[in-house]
Amino acid sequence: MAALAALLLSSVAGAQDWPNKPVRFIVPYPPGGGTDVIARIVQEPLSRALGQQMLIENRGGAGGAVGTEAAVRAAPDGYTFLFTLSSHTINQLLYKLTYDVDKDLVAVSTVASLPQIIAANTSSPFKTMQDIVTQAKAQPGKIAFASAGAGTPSHIAGELLNLRAGVKLLHIPYKGGGPATTDVMGGQVPILIISIPAALGQTKAGKLRAIAVTTLKRTPAAPEIPTVAEALSIPDYEVDSWFAVFAPAKTPPAIVARLQQEIARVVRIPEVKQKLLEQGADGVGNTSAELDATVKAELKKWATLIQQAGIKLE
């Protein structure tokens, strides 16, 4: 018992001294993408809050798996964290990974969340979700939607719509949100499902027709756009694209708790909230237990969906 008490006291003392050098966020996607943008919004405020510089290291590749593995293998000393997005729980089910996202990482906090947006070419006949469902039922497998790629949240959102609405939309995967958005605006594909930052500007400019968002609540960035759940009376339809921080397993709990507290404070700073809102995102700052529950729930939810929809990466 004496040894255990000494260990606990040592952990607390270490956490009180933390951080005494720069802290690294590994972003497992290239610079300029949505995850990188959200990370950089909170980078400076967190640096001020912690009294040490927050460094962002972009390690893209394999749908986020390369950077995530680097974070998993990092020393659990509180100086390396993973800053990732909700593909985190999808990748576990689609890729052959060398790590387990539920066992090898510790949840810290969700920084922000944002919906996928369902939009249509302005010349298409689709103005509401009911229009899409009606046409999709009349022409199974004929009405196409573009996504940011196979296995992305936008793809998952389309497959979940197929299952919940009893339709069969044809999935057209692109290599990123930009090309998908361009082709839908050009009329090559009638419907787009994409993260809201990639298309909100185009819908506000009248270049795309916004139809619905995939979260349970309307987004503060565009409160006039209905949710799929309310538009189709499907109460359990939800695809939330969240951005969150994780720590390597065995990182001292006191350090995890300190960073969680600072994230919760930072996302409530008015200027940070505004910058997130400009990206179509809503600041969250939830507890580690709440983020951990989200991960566990989504692993089960997406496993079921992937099996039912027969999703496989080529």
Side-chain angles (χ1 to χ4, degrees):
M1 289 183 66
L4 177 60
L7 180 62
L8 291 173
L9 286 172
S10 175
S11 174
V12 171
Q16 289 175 340
D17 295 337
W18 178 88
N20 54 31
K21 62 181 181 179
V23 178
R24 179 175 58 149
F25 274 165
I26 294 180
V27 173
Y29 297 97
T35 310
D36 181 66
V37 169
I38 300 297
R40 292 181 190 279
I41 287 174
V42 298
Q43 178 185 20
E44 182 55 34
L46 275 176
S47 296
R48 293 195 301 266
L50 293 171
Q52 289 289 342
Q53 187 177 7
M54 301 295 296
L55 305 176
I56 291 178
E57 180 180 331
N58 297 93
R59 286 203 187 185
V66 172
T68 301
E69 182 173 9
V72 166
R73 306 303 176 207
D77 57 5
Y79 290 94
T80 299
F81 294 89
L82 175 70
F83 194 112
T84 191
L85 82 164
S86 52
S87 292
H88 186 67
T89 55
I90 301 170
N91 290 347
Q92 177 77 33
L93 306 165
L94 291 175
Y95 290 94
K96 292 181 180 179
L97 303 178
T98 61
Y99 55 85
D100 187 307
V101 300
D102 191 32
K103 296 178 181 178
D104 294 331
L105 291 163
V106 176
V108 178
S109 183
T110 306
V111 174
S113 68
L114 55 81
Q116 300 291 308
I117 186 172
I118 300 177
N121 178 277
T122 54
S123 298
S124 77
F126 306 117
K127 296 181 180 179
T128 67
M129 285 305 303
Q130 194 58 58
D131 291 340
I132 293 175
V133 169
T134 299
Q135 288 295 318
K137 286 185 175 180
Q139 303 177 65
K142 301 290 186 179
I143 308 300
F145 77 93
S147 82
T152 61
S154 55
H155 177 200
I156 292 294
E159 296 294 354
L160 185 62
L161 179 62
N162 281 338
L163 289 174
R164 294 290 188 269
V167 298
K168 182 56 181 175
L169 294 169
L170 176 64
H171 176 224
I172 308 295
Y174 283 79
K175 293 182 178 180
T181 302
T182 298
D183 269 14
V184 173
M185 286 193 297
Q188 283 85 350
V189 184
I191 298 169
L192 174 70
I193 304 180
I194 204 73
S195 65
I196 198 166
L200 186 60
Q202 308 294 355
T203 64
K204 289 184 177 295
K207 297 179 181 179
L208 283 171
R209 180 184 297 133
I211 294 177
V213 293
T214 64
T215 40
L216 289 178
K217 295 181 179 179
R218 296 192 182 200
T219 173
E224 71 280 3
I225 304 174
T227 68
V228 173
E230 65 180 285
L232 295 177
S233 298
I234 306 176
D236 62 343
Y237 182 92
E238 179 185 24
V239 179
D240 181 358
S241 294
W242 43 261
F243 301 85
V245 176
F246 295 85
K250 299 182 180 180
T251 298
I255 291 178
V256 171
R258 170 80 191 284
L259 182 56
Q260 184 279 323
Q261 291 166 2
E262 297 301 345
I263 289 173
R265 291 191 186 101
V266 161
V267 298
R268 288 167 175 77
I269 297 172
E271 65 184 57
V272 175
K273 289 179 66 175
Q274 181 58 36
K275 288 180 179 179
L276 290 172
L277 186 62
E278 289 169 359
Q279 296 299 319
D282 194 18
V284 179
N286 60 0
T287 67
S288 299
E290 288 169 332
L291 173 56
D292 185 61
T294 295
V295 169
K296 287 179 167 58
E298 288 197 0
L299 285 171
K300 292 180 180 179
K301 180 179 179 180
W302 300 144
T304 300
L305 173 65
I306 287 168
Q307 182 180 23
Q308 292 176 339
I311 300 172
K312 294 181 180 179
L313 295 185
E314 296 181 359

